[in-house]
């Protein structure tokens, strides 16, 4: 009887001692990251049958279980991934956003100042200081392009570095998880099927930390280990083996890293987590923004150079290149069969440039496929017919010698911001005068001889064919003489045979426009009533230091819609980039805050199940202490009973 | 629902951090006076302000161009006024010269003045501006437009070009007239064209030969008409510049007030928000202190 009593009491002592130990463990781990509170599972011992019924024999501590909800844990994990992704995206997007829009370091103010300088020169075309200001402002403009581009490049390098670091962290965590998988299996076996709670907690914590880096799916296996998969099923951890992730420069675009699992490229499979955020940032913001910056640079360089080449400088020479035009980058895929074909590209019309990169693939025979990467739009190219292709503002020149499957990356605007530079060096070479001028015919003393009332407007040119006119005319001029008998102006000399120009004084006196395509594409208007043999002279505009016509046209480039298919001007095109980046950053911020809220809720729900509450543990302490004392008291009573018995039967 | 001690702590601290964040942002707004601190704060408005700033800069540039245009036209106008006064004087002489009461000696004396006036006219026609460019040489700013290669022979070495300046997005205004238009392309009484210098030279020669011609007066009148036409054109251009300037000023005012409305901080709203956030922060901090002191362990011993 006393034995039974004693045994029961001792079982109670042991059970409550276990309880106290567990409560103490909970209290010690109140602040431990990832700890799930533990509880001892008590089970009453089976009773011993007797004539008076079953007599209970105490309590056993069956198991120590941790309070953990798989579903809530999965929710926390997925919220963590989503939150980390938006966090990373927003972090980098803000960097771009702040830099681009700053009124001190942005692009718009320097574009304005450059064109202000051009306006200043148009106001005073003979002034050398005004020309110097134009060159200085051009330098500032070029410098700003290069600085902004460098900012993008720095972000790119930093991004690659961050990805490297992330992969190291991922690798170390997956290795630890794989080890834990192994450890848990063995610990289980050692404990005869009992769950190693703390190891499980540790593994879950590691998986949670991993979820911050990349979104993972957890698959529990029967033997207690978990397999981790990411993205579309790529395995990260299988049992006690972890797959090592590494990076190498992307085969097609070496400026960014490609991520390998072992030796298999998996960049596309990486979604969620910080890494997902980085990849998304690069594709949605970094690449398009840098390309858009480059597009503005190419647009300004090409348009300005074209117009500049139509004017005359202070010494009467046709203007040369004002800016150095950037070059289009064509990169052969690293895996192409050498020596392969040579592919080059050149700008055709900057109006049509997009902000996308392109890939060119050889399909065999004379067939290539060109793909615009932003929207995956493809264009078929047949190089049997011209070997060059015109598309989206650039032309390709494709040589022979490619092997089927060879690929090339074409980046028409990526390097625009980096490569734009000022080409003109001499202030006298800024060309603001028109190429040709017109007037009434005058004698050797400049006295007019016309007797009619016709007048001619100053011509503007659109190309340089046969300009300067001294190339086709000994005295550098064309004389238009009116023949009243046939109502036409005869042109002398006229090697390109554009004349005669029909003009009827009766019908055309309000004004008739002419374009001489073969002579610089010059356009002018004749009006009024010429008399027979009245003449006009169109001559090379030599000595015209006070002429600002080309300067006016150069200044007008600022407000002409010359980009994006002719819909926006330079500052508006840049503004579009800013607007897009700003909106995306704003959107990311909103999403991030929402996701933070969701994550908070998930964590609260999980903490409600698994978290340690000190007050509760304090109450438990009191409870188990009382129970222990009660059991101890039972032992004391059992002892008293035994002593009493001994006292009764002893002599 | 259970609350874990750890999360309880975290929530309290986070609340304080959030309040601090909001307060910090408002503080920045107050100290810079800007409602929009980064593009992402209000992307639509921020892009709008970019566009408005560009318009303001362009309009200011047009105003600058307008001022330069006015200056140049003012100089041309003043020079031509001198020319008109000169021609009026010569006209007087022409009327006088036809008077039969004069003798050869008188006419020779008059001829001297006419020759003086001719030189003065040549000087006016070869006026340079402040930068050393000839006003009346067309595009040939460094070439002296009017010379006298031989006695009685006058040559125009400029061209027939005319400079314009941009005073509005689609508005250009001419800021000069070529010497050809002003002094050379003048109809002659006897048909054809005759420049103003030849008219005066012929007048002087006629006077010296004691043979004044009636044609001279008509030629002088035709020349005067031409100058007056040019002056009228200058006046019209100055009017265009003036009205353009007013339009631009109005535009600038509108743009600047729109910009201010979008960009500038509403201080009243910001300050009351600031006070509210201060109160919120204090409340969060005090609540934290009060709650963190409570624990069952304080009451057990």
């Amino acid at each position: 009887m006393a034995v039974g009593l004693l045994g029961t009491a001792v079982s109670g002592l042991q059970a409550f001692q276990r309880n106290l130990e567990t409560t103490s463990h909970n209290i010690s781990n109140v602040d431990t990251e990832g700890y799930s509170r533990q509880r001892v599972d008590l089970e009453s011992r089976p009773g011993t049958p007797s004539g008076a019924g079953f007599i209970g024999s105490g309590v056993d501590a069956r198991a120590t279980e941790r309070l953990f909800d798989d579903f809530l844990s999965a929710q926390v994990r997925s919220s963590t991934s989503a939150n980390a992704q938006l966090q990373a995206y927003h972090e980098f997007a803000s960097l771009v956003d702040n830099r681009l829009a700053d009124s001190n370091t942005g692009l718009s103010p320097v574009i304005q100042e450059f064109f202000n300088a051009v306006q200043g020169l148009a106001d005073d075309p003979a002034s050398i200081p005004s020309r110097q200001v134009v060159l200085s402002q051009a330098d500032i403009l070029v410098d700003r392009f290069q600085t902004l581009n460098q900012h993008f490049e720095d972000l790119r390098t930093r991004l690659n570095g961050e990805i490297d670091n992330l992969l190291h962290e991922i690798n170390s965590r997956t290795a630890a998880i794989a080890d834990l998988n192994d450890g848990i299996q063995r610990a289980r076996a050692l404990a005869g099927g009992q769950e190693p709670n703390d190891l499980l907690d540790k593994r879950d914590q590691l998986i949670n930390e991993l979820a911050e880096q990349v979104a993972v799916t957890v698959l529990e296996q029967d033997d207690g280990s978990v397999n981790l998969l990411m993205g579309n099923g790529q395995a990260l951890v299988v049992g006690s083996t972890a797959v090592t992730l590494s990076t190498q420069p992307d085969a097609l675009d070496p400026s960014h890293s490609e991520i390998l699992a072992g030796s298999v490229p998996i960049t596309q499979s990486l979604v969620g987590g910080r890494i997902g955020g980085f990849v998304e940032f690069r594709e949605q913001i970094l690449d398009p923004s840098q390309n858009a910056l480059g597009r503005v640079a190419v647009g300004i360089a090409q348009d300005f150079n074209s117009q500049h080449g139509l004017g005359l400088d202070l010494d009467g020479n046709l203007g040369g290149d004002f800016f150095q035009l950037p070059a289009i980058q064509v990169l052969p895929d690293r895996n192409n069969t050498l020596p392969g074909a040579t592919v080059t590209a050149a700008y055709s019309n900057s109006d049509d440039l997009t902000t996308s990169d392109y890939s060119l693939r050889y399909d065999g025979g004379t067939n290539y496929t060109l793909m615009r990467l932003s929207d995956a739009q493809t264009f078929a190219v047949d190089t049997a017919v011209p070997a060059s292709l015109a598309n989206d503002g650039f032309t390709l020149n494709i040589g022979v010698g490619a092997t089927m499957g060879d690929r090339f990356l074409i980046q028409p605007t990526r390097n625009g911001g980096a490569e734009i530079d000022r080409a003109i060096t001499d202030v006298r070479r800024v060309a603001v005068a028109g190429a040709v001028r017109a007037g009434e015919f005058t004698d050797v003393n400049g006295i007019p001889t016309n007797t009619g009332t016709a007048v001619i407007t100053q011509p503007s040119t659109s190309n340089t064919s046969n300009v300067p006119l001294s190339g086709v005319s000994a005295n550098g001029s064309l004389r238009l003489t009116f023949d009243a008998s046939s109502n036409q102006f005869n042109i002398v000399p006229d090697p390109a045979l554009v004349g005669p120009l029909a003009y009827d004084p009766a019908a055309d006196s309000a004004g008739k426009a002419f374009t001489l395509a073969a002579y610089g594409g010059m356009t002018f208007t004749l009006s009024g009533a010429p008399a027979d043999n009245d003449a006009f002279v169109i001559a090379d505009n030599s000595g015209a230091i006070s002429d600002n016509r080309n300067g006016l046209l150069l200044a007008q480039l600022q407000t002409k819609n010359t980009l994006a298919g002719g819909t926006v001007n330079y500052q508006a095109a840049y503004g579009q980039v800013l607007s897009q980046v700003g909106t995306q950053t704003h959107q990311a911020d909103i999403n991030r805050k929402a996701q933070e809220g969701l994550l908070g809720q998930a964590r609260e729900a999980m903490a409600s199940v698994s978290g340690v509450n000190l007050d509760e543990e304090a109450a438990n302490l009191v409870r188990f202490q009382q129970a222990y004392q009660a059991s101890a008291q039972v032992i004391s009573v059992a002892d008293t009973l035994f002593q009493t018995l001994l006292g009764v039967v002893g002599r | 629902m259970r609350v874990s001690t750890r999360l309880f702590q975290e929530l309290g601290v986070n609340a304080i951090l959030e309040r601090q964040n909001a307060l910090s942002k408002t503080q920045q707004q107050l100290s810079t006076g800007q409602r929009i601190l980064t593009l992402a704060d209000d992307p639509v408005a921020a892009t709008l302000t970019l566009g408005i700033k560009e318009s303001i800069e362009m309009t200011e540039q047009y105003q600058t161009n307008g001022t330069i245009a006015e200056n140049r036209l003012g100089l041309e106008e003043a020079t031509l006024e001198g020319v008109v006064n000169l021609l009026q004087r010569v006209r007087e002489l022409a009327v006088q010269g036809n008077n039969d009461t004069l003798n050869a000696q008188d006419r020779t004396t008059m001829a001297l003045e006419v020759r003086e006036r001719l030189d003065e006219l040549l000087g006016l026609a070869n006026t340079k501006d402040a930068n050393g460019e000839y006003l009346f040489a067309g595009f040939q700013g460094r070439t002296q437009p009017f010379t006298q290669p031989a006695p009685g022979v006058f040559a125009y070495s400029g061209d027939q070009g005319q400079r314009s300046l941009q005073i509005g997005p689609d508005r250009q205004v001419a800021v000069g007239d070529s010497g050809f238009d002003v002094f050379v392309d003048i109809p002659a009484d006897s048909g054809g064209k005759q420049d103003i210098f030849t008219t005066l030279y012929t007048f002087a020669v006629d006077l010296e030969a004691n043979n004044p011609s009636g044609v001279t007066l008509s030629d002088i009148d035709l020349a005067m008409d031409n100058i007056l036409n040019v002056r009228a054109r200058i006046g019209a251009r100055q009017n265009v510049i003036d009205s353009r300037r007013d339009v631009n000023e109005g535009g600038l005012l509108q743009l600047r007030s729109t910009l201010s409305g979008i960009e500038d901080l509403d201080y009243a709203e910001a300050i009351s928000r600031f006070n509210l956030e201060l109160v919120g922060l204090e409340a969060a901090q005090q609540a934290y202190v009060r709650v963190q002191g409570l624990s069952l362990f304080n009451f057990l011993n």
Side-chain angles (χ1 to χ4, degrees), chain B residues 173-201:
Chain B
V173 68
V175 295
D177 297 278
S178 71
F180 183 83
D181 287 334
V182 179
F183 299 108
V184 176
D185 194 21
I186 303 172
D189 185 74
S190 46
K193 301 275 174 73
Q194 176 162 289
D195 66 89
I196 204 174
F197 308 102
T198 307
T199 303
L200 262 64
Y201 183 82

Short mmCIF file of all heavy atoms in Angstrom, two decimals, chain B residues 173-201:
data_model
loop_
_atom_site.label_atom_id
_atom_site.label_comp_id
_atom_site.label_asym_id
_atom_site.label_seq_id
_atom_site.Cartn_x
_atom_site.Cartn_y
_atom_site.Cartn_z
N VAL B 173 10.77 87.36 -84.56
CA VAL B 173 10.62 88.74 -85.00
C VAL B 173 11.95 89.21 -85.59
O VAL B 173 13.02 88.90 -85.06
CB VAL B 173 10.18 89.64 -83.82
CG1 VAL B 173 11.28 89.77 -82.79
CG2 VAL B 173 9.76 91.00 -84.31
N ALA B 174 11.90 89.93 -86.70
CA ALA B 174 13.13 90.43 -87.32
C ALA B 174 13.70 91.53 -86.46
O ALA B 174 12.96 92.37 -85.94
CB ALA B 174 12.82 90.93 -88.73
N VAL B 175 15.02 91.54 -86.30
CA VAL B 175 15.64 92.56 -85.45
C VAL B 175 16.55 93.48 -86.24
O VAL B 175 17.41 94.15 -85.68
CB VAL B 175 16.42 91.91 -84.29
CG1 VAL B 175 15.46 91.18 -83.38
CG2 VAL B 175 17.49 90.99 -84.80
N GLY B 176 16.39 93.50 -87.53
CA GLY B 176 17.21 94.42 -88.31
C GLY B 176 16.69 94.48 -89.74
O GLY B 176 15.79 93.75 -90.11
N ASP B 177 17.22 95.41 -90.50
CA ASP B 177 16.92 95.46 -91.93
C ASP B 177 18.26 95.59 -92.64
O ASP B 177 19.17 96.27 -92.15
CB ASP B 177 16.03 96.67 -92.23
CG ASP B 177 14.69 96.55 -91.54
OD1 ASP B 177 13.81 95.87 -92.09
OD2 ASP B 177 14.54 97.12 -90.43
N SER B 178 18.37 94.98 -93.80
CA SER B 178 19.64 95.06 -94.52
C SER B 178 19.80 96.45 -95.11
O SER B 178 18.83 97.15 -95.39
CB SER B 178 19.69 94.01 -95.61
OG SER B 178 18.79 94.37 -96.65
N GLY B 179 21.04 96.86 -95.27
CA GLY B 179 21.32 98.14 -95.90
C GLY B 179 20.71 98.22 -97.28
O GLY B 179 20.32 99.29 -97.76
N PHE B 180 20.60 97.07 -97.92
CA PHE B 180 19.97 96.99 -99.25
C PHE B 180 18.55 97.51 -99.18
O PHE B 180 18.14 98.38 -99.95
CB PHE B 180 20.00 95.54 -99.72
CG PHE B 180 19.43 95.35 -101.11
CD1 PHE B 180 20.22 95.58 -102.22
CD2 PHE B 180 18.12 94.93 -101.30
CE1 PHE B 180 19.72 95.40 -103.50
CE2 PHE B 180 17.62 94.75 -102.58
CZ PHE B 180 18.41 95.00 -103.69
N ASP B 181 17.77 97.01 -98.21
CA ASP B 181 16.36 97.40 -98.11
C ASP B 181 16.22 98.87 -97.73
O ASP B 181 15.29 99.54 -98.17
CB ASP B 181 15.65 96.55 -97.05
CG ASP B 181 15.41 95.14 -97.55
OD1 ASP B 181 15.33 94.96 -98.78
OD2 ASP B 181 15.33 94.22 -96.70
N VAL B 182 17.15 99.37 -96.86
CA VAL B 182 16.97 100.71 -96.31
C VAL B 182 17.49 101.78 -97.25
O VAL B 182 16.82 102.78 -97.51
CB VAL B 182 17.67 100.83 -94.94
CG1 VAL B 182 17.51 102.22 -94.39
CG2 VAL B 182 17.12 99.79 -93.97
N PHE B 183 18.72 101.57 -97.75
CA PHE B 183 19.40 102.67 -98.45
C PHE B 183 19.54 102.47 -99.96
O PHE B 183 19.85 103.42 -100.67
CB PHE B 183 20.81 102.87 -97.88
CG PHE B 183 20.81 103.23 -96.42
CD1 PHE B 183 21.23 102.31 -95.46
CD2 PHE B 183 20.39 104.48 -96.00
CE1 PHE B 183 21.26 102.63 -94.12
CE2 PHE B 183 20.41 104.80 -94.66
CZ PHE B 183 20.84 103.88 -93.70
N VAL B 184 19.36 101.26 -100.45
CA VAL B 184 19.71 100.98 -101.85
C VAL B 184 18.50 100.73 -102.73
O VAL B 184 18.39 101.28 -103.83
CB VAL B 184 20.66 99.76 -101.92
CG1 VAL B 184 20.96 99.39 -103.36
CG2 VAL B 184 21.94 100.05 -101.17
N ASP B 185 17.57 99.91 -102.22
CA ASP B 185 16.46 99.46 -103.06
C ASP B 185 15.37 100.52 -103.07
O ASP B 185 14.26 100.31 -102.58
CB ASP B 185 15.94 98.13 -102.49
CG ASP B 185 15.02 97.42 -103.48
OD1 ASP B 185 15.10 97.71 -104.68
OD2 ASP B 185 14.22 96.57 -103.02
N ILE B 186 15.68 101.70 -103.62
CA ILE B 186 14.75 102.83 -103.60
C ILE B 186 14.40 103.17 -105.04
O ILE B 186 15.31 103.30 -105.88
CB ILE B 186 15.39 104.05 -102.93
CG1 ILE B 186 15.85 103.66 -101.49
CG2 ILE B 186 14.41 105.22 -102.87
CD1 ILE B 186 16.67 104.74 -100.84
N PRO B 187 13.11 103.30 -105.34
CA PRO B 187 12.76 103.66 -106.72
C PRO B 187 13.27 105.08 -107.03
O PRO B 187 13.36 105.93 -106.16
CB PRO B 187 11.23 103.60 -106.72
CG PRO B 187 10.81 103.64 -105.30
CD PRO B 187 11.94 103.14 -104.46
N ALA B 188 13.61 105.26 -108.28
CA ALA B 188 14.05 106.58 -108.73
C ALA B 188 12.93 107.26 -109.50
O ALA B 188 12.13 106.59 -110.15
CB ALA B 188 15.29 106.45 -109.61
N ASP B 189 12.92 108.58 -109.42
CA ASP B 189 11.86 109.34 -110.09
C ASP B 189 11.86 109.08 -111.59
O ASP B 189 10.83 109.06 -112.25
CB ASP B 189 12.07 110.84 -109.78
CG ASP B 189 10.95 111.68 -110.35
OD1 ASP B 189 9.86 111.64 -109.78
OD2 ASP B 189 11.18 112.33 -111.39
N SER B 190 13.08 108.90 -112.13
CA SER B 190 13.17 108.71 -113.58
C SER B 190 13.13 107.24 -113.97
O SER B 190 13.56 106.87 -115.05
CB SER B 190 14.47 109.36 -114.07
OG SER B 190 15.53 108.99 -113.21
N GLY B 191 12.62 106.38 -113.12
CA GLY B 191 12.50 104.95 -113.46
C GLY B 191 13.68 104.16 -112.92
O GLY B 191 14.76 104.71 -112.71
N GLY B 192 13.45 102.91 -112.69
CA GLY B 192 14.54 102.05 -112.19
C GLY B 192 14.76 102.29 -110.70
O GLY B 192 13.88 102.75 -109.98
N LYS B 193 15.97 101.95 -110.21
CA LYS B 193 16.27 102.12 -108.80
C LYS B 193 17.47 103.02 -108.63
O LYS B 193 18.38 103.01 -109.45
CB LYS B 193 16.61 100.74 -108.16
CG LYS B 193 15.48 99.70 -108.26
CD LYS B 193 14.52 99.86 -107.13
CE LYS B 193 13.31 98.93 -107.30
NZ LYS B 193 13.63 97.55 -107.06
N GLN B 194 17.47 103.80 -107.55
CA GLN B 194 18.64 104.64 -107.28
C GLN B 194 18.84 104.69 -105.77
O GLN B 194 17.90 104.90 -105.02
CB GLN B 194 18.41 106.07 -107.80
CG GLN B 194 19.58 106.99 -107.45
CD GLN B 194 19.58 108.22 -108.30
OE1 GLN B 194 19.88 108.15 -109.50
NE2 GLN B 194 19.22 109.35 -107.72
N ASP B 195 20.10 104.48 -105.37
CA ASP B 195 20.36 104.48 -103.94
C ASP B 195 20.44 105.92 -103.44
O ASP B 195 20.60 106.88 -104.20
CB ASP B 195 21.67 103.74 -103.65
CG ASP B 195 22.85 104.47 -104.21
OD1 ASP B 195 23.41 105.35 -103.50
OD2 ASP B 195 23.22 104.20 -105.37
N ILE B 196 20.36 106.05 -102.13
CA ILE B 196 20.21 107.36 -101.50
C ILE B 196 21.48 108.21 -101.63
O ILE B 196 21.44 109.44 -101.69
CB ILE B 196 19.79 107.17 -100.03
CG1 ILE B 196 19.07 108.39 -99.49
CG2 ILE B 196 20.98 106.82 -99.17
CD1 ILE B 196 18.52 108.16 -98.11
N PHE B 197 22.63 107.54 -101.67
CA PHE B 197 23.89 108.27 -101.69
C PHE B 197 24.09 108.92 -103.06
O PHE B 197 24.54 110.06 -103.16
CB PHE B 197 25.06 107.33 -101.38
CG PHE B 197 24.85 106.56 -100.11
CD1 PHE B 197 24.45 105.22 -100.17
CD2 PHE B 197 25.00 107.17 -98.88
CE1 PHE B 197 24.23 104.52 -99.02
CE2 PHE B 197 24.78 106.46 -97.73
CZ PHE B 197 24.39 105.12 -97.79
N THR B 198 23.75 108.12 -104.11
CA THR B 198 23.85 108.68 -105.46
C THR B 198 22.95 109.90 -105.59
O THR B 198 23.32 110.91 -106.21
CB THR B 198 23.45 107.63 -106.52
OG1 THR B 198 24.23 106.46 -106.29
CG2 THR B 198 23.66 108.14 -107.92
N THR B 199 21.76 109.82 -104.96
CA THR B 199 20.84 110.97 -105.03
C THR B 199 21.50 112.21 -104.45
O THR B 199 21.49 113.29 -105.07
CB THR B 199 19.56 110.66 -104.24
OG1 THR B 199 18.96 109.47 -104.76
CG2 THR B 199 18.57 111.81 -104.32
N LEU B 200 22.10 112.06 -103.25
CA LEU B 200 22.73 113.22 -102.63
C LEU B 200 23.94 113.69 -103.43
O LEU B 200 24.21 114.90 -103.57
CB LEU B 200 23.15 112.89 -101.19
CG LEU B 200 22.17 113.36 -100.11
CD1 LEU B 200 20.83 112.64 -100.27
CD2 LEU B 200 22.73 113.16 -98.73
N TYR B 201 24.72 112.74 -103.97
CA TYR B 201 25.91 113.09 -104.74
C TYR B 201 25.52 113.87 -105.98
O TYR B 201 26.12 114.91 -106.29
CB TYR B 201 26.69 111.83 -105.09
CG TYR B 201 27.96 112.11 -105.81
CD1 TYR B 201 29.11 112.47 -105.10
CD2 TYR B 201 28.04 112.06 -107.23
CE1 TYR B 201 30.28 112.75 -105.75
CE2 TYR B 201 29.23 112.34 -107.87
CZ TYR B 201 30.34 112.68 -107.15
OH TYR B 201 31.51 112.96 -107.78
#
